[in-house]
Amino acid sequence: MRIVITEFISLDGVVQAPGGPEEDTDGGFTHGGWSHPYFDPEVLGGAFDAGLAGAEALLFGRRTWQTMAGAWPDRAGDPFADRMNSLKKYVVSGTLSDADLTWNNTELIPAEGAVDRIRELRATEGGDLAMMGSPTLVRTLIAEGLVDELQLIVMPVLLGGGKSIFPTDGGKRPLELVSTTTAKTGAQVCVFRPAD
């Protein structure tokens, strides 16, 4: 399986709380919902639809999973929501238990040993293991060399600080730009893969 990451990201590399004001206020973050003015249903929505079409399963960190699990089950009847709800889901957590997994078709990956389990999943046959949000987990997977594709939806805004998906360990990780598409809002969908 390929691990494919899709993130809304500001020009200064922030991925925190793109969807709403109360989504993630860690560190005093006050710009929640910052992505809305730049969303283009045709280009950005199409990128998400295409990403989900290639997904065999979804991988989340705990906070992103809890946000998604609180939203998507109530949206049944929409093709995108139905696909989200039907896919196999994995959530990495050190605090959730199996009893907390209320979103159908979810499997818990305990935080201890999570990288090894994700490495095993990646080595199995199948489609994409798609990720959205989950900056702490994404940062770890990038650091471990386990990300096969980064689809960054770059929004023309500076947020001045917030959570990032990029490791700060000083490691150099060359990427190849595979494609870029510009939306009428100025957002760009940039697909990167590790350079050989």
Side-chain angles (χ1 to χ4, degrees):
M1 296 178 82
R2 294 186 326 140
I3 295 180
V4 177
I5 314 284
T6 300
E7 298 282 351
F8 289 128
I9 191 165
S10 69
L11 284 176
D12 51 349
V14 176
V15 298
Q16 188 170 355
E22 306 305 320
E23 180 181 339
D24 182 356
T25 58
D26 282 3
F29 190 76
T30 59
H31 303 299
W34 57 269
S35 70
H36 292 294
Y38 309 105
F39 191 81
D40 175 345
E42 184 179 326
V43 174
L44 277 53
F48 271 97
D49 285 344
L52 207 56
E56 183 160 315
L58 302 171
L59 176 62
F60 298 103
R62 177 191 56 82
R63 287 181 72 163
T64 301
W65 180 87
Q66 286 178 311
T67 299
M68 299 286 203
W72 287 106
D74 294 335
R75 299 180 185 174
D78 168 83
F80 189 87
D82 289 348
R83 180 87 172 124
M84 287 282 289
N85 289 322
S86 67
L87 281 169
K88 175 74 176 178
K89 292 164 273 293
Y90 297 94
V91 56
V92 174
S93 176
T95 57
L96 294 175
S97 70
D98 286 333
D100 297 315
L101 305 182
T102 55
W103 195 10
N104 68 308
N105 213 11
T106 297
E107 180 180 317
L108 178 65
I109 297 177
E112 187 175 325
V115 170
D116 290 337
R117 175 67 177 121
I118 292 167
R119 192 173 274 115
E120 288 171 7
L121 284 171
R122 184 172 176 248
T124 62
E125 292 295 321
D128 294 343
L129 185 56
M131 294 187 70
M132 297 166 261
S134 310
T136 303
L137 180 57
V138 169
R139 191 168 43 254
T140 298
L141 297 182
I142 291 172
E144 292 287 334
L146 295 176
V147 175
D148 298 290
E149 186 172 288
L150 276 173
Q151 179 174 255
L152 301 180
I153 301 174
V154 184
M155 309 286 186
V157 62
L158 299 172
L159 297 173
K163 293 180 181 176
S164 171
I165 60 168
F166 303 120
T168 57
D169 58 7
K172 181 179 178 184
R173 298 171 177 90
L175 300 172
E176 171 190 5
L177 178 64
V178 176
S179 66
T180 185
T181 307
T182 303
K184 60 187 174 204
T185 60
Q188 291 191 325
V189 179
C190 302
V191 177
F192 296 93
R193 293 185 187 137
D196 295 328

